[in-house]
Structures are given as C-alpha cells and as structure tokens.
Amino acid sequence: MPLPPSSLSEEILAWYDRNARDMPWRLGPKARREGHRPDAYKIWLSEIMLQQTTVAAVKPFFARFVNRWPTVGDLANAEASEIMAEWAGLGYYSRARNLHVCAKEVVENHGGAFPRTAAALKALPGIGDYTSAAIASIAFDEAAPVVDGNIERVITRLYRISAPLPGAKPHVKEKVTGLTPKDRPGDFAQAMMDLGATICVPRSPSCLLCPAAEQCEARSHGDQTAYPVKAAKRPVPQRTGAAFVATRSSDGAVWLRRRPASGMLGGMAEAPSTAWSARKDGETGADVAPFKADWMHVGAIAHGFTHFKLTLEVYRAEIDAEPSNEGWWAARHEIADQGLPTLMRKVVDKALG
DNA sequence: GAGCCGTGGAC
DNA sequence: TGTCCAAGGCT
C-alpha cells in the first residue's frame, strides 16, 4: 500500500537532514531551519556553473569567481574578456557570456538584487526552467518544481515511467509538483538532487540505503536501472582541421586571436585554426594556414565534443612580425592566463612540447 | 522538437 | 578506446 505523497516527501527530507552534502554555496538544513537564507548570488552562480557539469569540476571555479567577484555588482562591472578567461576550461562558454549579461541586467533592471520568483528569474539570460525553479526554491522559498537530470532519474524510477525523455518531462514535472512541500521547497529540491547523485545513481543504485525504496515502483519490479528511458542518440561524426601556432623569434611569445562570439568556443582565445566546425575532412595541410610562414607539422591532437569528434593537425613556425592586426602576442609564461579552452590548450601544448 | 554547445571522470 | 553522463539553455 503506497503512502501518500506528503509522507514520501517527509521521508526524503528526513534523509536529507541526516545526509545533506556540504557545498561551498549551500546553506545546510540546520541553518535553514534557524531562519538563515543563502546568498542568491552564490546560488545563481553555482547553478549556472553546475549546468551539465559535475560538482567536483565546479568547486575550484566557484571559489575563484566568488573570490574575484564577491557580488553580482562586481561581476557586472567586470570586463567580458576577464570573465571568459576565468571560465576557460569549464566548457559551454555561452554560459559565461550569459552570466555577464545577466549580472548587468540584475544591476540595471532589478536594483542589484535578483528577482525572487521563478517566473521573473526565467526572463534573465542563461536561466531556464530548471535554474529558475532552483534559485526561487533554494534562495527564496518558492515551491517551484525543480526538475534536473538527477530528479528525472529518481522520479521515473519511483513511478516507473516508461515513456522516453525528454518527452516524458511534463509527466515528471507533474509528479515533482505534487511532492514539493510548501514549507521546505529548497531543501526538498536539494534533497532530491542529493538522492539522485549519491543513492539513486545511474548504474548501481544503493536501494538498501534509499529512504524511498519501499515506495519505489521500479524497485518492486527489480528493474531500477531500466529508468529513465531516453530517446536514442545519433552517432557522433568525425571532423578534422588544422591549427597554427606561431612563435615570435625574439622571445618565443605565441600569436593568439579571439574566436567569433557565437558558435563553438564562441568568444574564447585560440591559436589560429581552420573552420573545423563546418568541415568534415580535408584541408589539413600547411597550405590552409591563415598567413604565410615556414610551417612545420608537429603532430595531431584529438578532442571529443558533444556532437562530433575532432582531430586537429598542429603546425608551428617562428615569425618576426605580427601576422595580422587581429590578434595579440601572449608571452610564454602568460599562456596559462590567456583563458584558452581545453582544445586550444592541447594544441599549444603539442606545438611547444 | 531536435540540434547545438565542452569537459573530465567513471566504468 | 568507447560510451555515458553531470544541478540545461538557446534556437
């Protein structure tokens, strides 16, 4: 006999009170019950960074951002290039561009304070369904239904929802709405995410430790790992291109330029490379270099993206003068500070040995 | 709705 | 090595 939803929510909250993960941006359940509120700026910043990104990867980036820009006003006043460089390595760079735009909108249109409802938050750039509900519930106690990948997994198992995602998302959201308690919506959202991240994991869920095990329909059928059902994905194509690392003969400085604001690695620094994003094969020789030089082939690097795999042939040359007016010299000891995305860090490492 | 958009870790 | 995937949003 399944218990009513409120009881299930209480079981999960009680589990959270005992097992909440400690995060730099999080206020624990004890402090929340004592009436304290987390800093909305830190909740927002962490939620943006956590989009499709692991907690472990986010932690050092979050610490650097908060240290350098302690408030949303500080972030709004920063240069876009500084933010992009600080974000380098975290991926999905449109998040960094939207981060800056959002901070400026909060300052200019909301008096420097984040709006307190999910609906108003969702109007800001980079904040969608999930993030608006997460911020509203965690920072402002609005009972907005929070649905992320963890919660999709927990819910589809609990109710043995066999329709494939993302089509089944409205059904999942409906279930979450029914479960979310009015008095502790933020803690409940974080409890469900912690449950999905530590107990109800994709491959080998620890059902013996799960506070919802007795009410889990998938577990009663013994097919927990069959959920969530997801639509089949397409195979990822292979693409190739070439990258060109020019060093200045006088001091070894490296010639870099900035990629266009939109598209792959938009707005990030790079060593000049061919238009690999639009190319399937061919044109990987030194003859497609962006400028004339005595190019030497030094090898190739491979890099996997979400929707294609890339192999870049890497060339190096020493030159004397600036090859164009669109770029800059980066001193060898400053390359780590240039904000190179990981792909380009691999290219430069390959070229310079 | 489906494609675009990074990266690093687990298995 | 390959595959999956991790607190998604935008177009």
Side-chain angles (χ1 to χ4, degrees), chain A residues 275-316:
Chain A
W276 42 267
S277 65
R279 188 182 309 271
K280 291 189 76 170
D281 51 46
E283 298 198 37
T284 60
D287 56 319
V288 296
F291 48 86
K292 291 271 187 191
D294 186 16
W295 294 110
M296 285 212 329
H297 185 238
V298 297
I301 60 98
H303 193 71
F305 291 107
T306 306
H307 55 295
F308 64 91
K309 296 177 186 175
L310 178 65
T311 301
L312 280 185
E313 300 297 336
V314 180
Y315 295 85
R316 179 182 176 179

Side-chain angles (χ1 to χ4, degrees), chain A residues 238-249:
Chain A
Q238 170 76 45
R239 293 179 180 170
T240 57
F244 299 88
V245 179
T247 55
R248 187 162 56 188
S249 50

Side-chain angles (χ1 to χ4, degrees), chain A residues 200-275:
Chain A
C200 195
V201 296
R203 287 189 174 83
S204 299
S206 305
C207 301
L208 294 177
L209 301 176
C210 180
E214 289 185 15
Q215 301 168 67
C216 181
E217 294 183 24
R219 179 165 192 263
S220 73
H221 285 79
D223 59 359
Q224 306 90 305
T225 54
Y227 305 91
V229 178
K230 294 188 177 178
K233 355 181 142 70
R234 307 178 318 169
V236 298
Q238 170 76 45
R239 293 179 180 170
T240 57
F244 299 88
V245 179
T247 55
R248 187 162 56 188
S249 50
S250 60
D251 61 353
V254 177
W255 183 252
L256 300 178
R257 68 183 184 187
R258 192 165 298 283
R259 293 180 60 81
S262 62
M264 291 292 299
L265 309 179
M268 301 300 290
E270 71 163 359
S273 64
T274 60

Side-chain angles (χ1 to χ4, degrees), chain A residues 58 76 102 118-119 127 148-149 165 172 196 202 237 282 291 293 299 302 322 329 346 349:
Chain A
V58 164
C102 182
I127 300 181
D148 76 327
L165 290 169
V172 172
F291 48 86
E322 291 193 0
W329 290 111
K346 289 182 182 176
D349 286 349

Side-chain angles (χ1 to χ4, degrees), chain A residues 69-94:
Chain A
W69 300 295
T71 71
V72 66
D74 297 324
L75 194 64
N77 288 332
E79 291 294 329
S81 59
E82 296 178 310
I83 294 175
M84 300 306 289
E86 202 70 83
W87 196 277
L90 197 56
Y92 283 137
Y93 298 99
S94 66

